[in-house]
Amino acid sequence: MMANDGEILKKHPNIGDHSASSLDARWEIVTEEVPKLAKKAAMVAIKEWGQPVSKITHLIFCTNSGATCPGADVQLVASTWPPYHC
């Protein structure tokens, strides 16, 4: 999971300043971190499931964070199952 080790605040100091605009900074963080978090969660779920990745037929992906193109769902598939690059 995404953890704030201080690097995020160093890179985006507006987040710590309540009087500063931070929408762009938060958007940048979400765009980068949501796919990473999704991949970690997917890998844990696949391991717990105990079946080969080749048996996966569907992906259900839901987030209310960010709207990029390609989306975090497409990035997840491309990074987790390389033959399925989009």
Side-chain angles (χ1 to χ4, degrees):
M1 288 179 29
M2 186 180 107
N4 183 3
D5 60 2
E7 290 301 314
I8 290 175
L9 287 175
K10 287 178 190 173
K11 188 175 178 183
H12 305 284
N14 286 359
I15 292 175
D17 182 351
H18 294 290
S19 64
S21 174
S22 64
L23 180 60
D24 290 340
R26 290 182 284 125
W27 187 267
E28 183 179 326
I29 293 165
V30 166
T31 299
E32 184 177 321
E33 296 298 327
V34 166
K36 291 179 190 177
L37 181 59
K39 184 170 184 171
K40 288 179 184 179
M43 300 314 291
V44 168
I46 291 166
K47 184 177 179 181
E48 288 178 3
W49 178 45
Q51 298 292 318
V53 173
S54 61
K55 287 197 162 201
I56 296 174
T57 61
H58 293 76
L59 171 68
I60 298 172
F61 189 99
C62 182
T63 181
N64 64 350
S65 300
T68 58
C69 191
D73 55 343
V74 173
Q75 293 176 53
L76 170 63
V77 170
S79 71
T80 307
W81 300 280
Y84 300 102
H85 285 290
C86 302

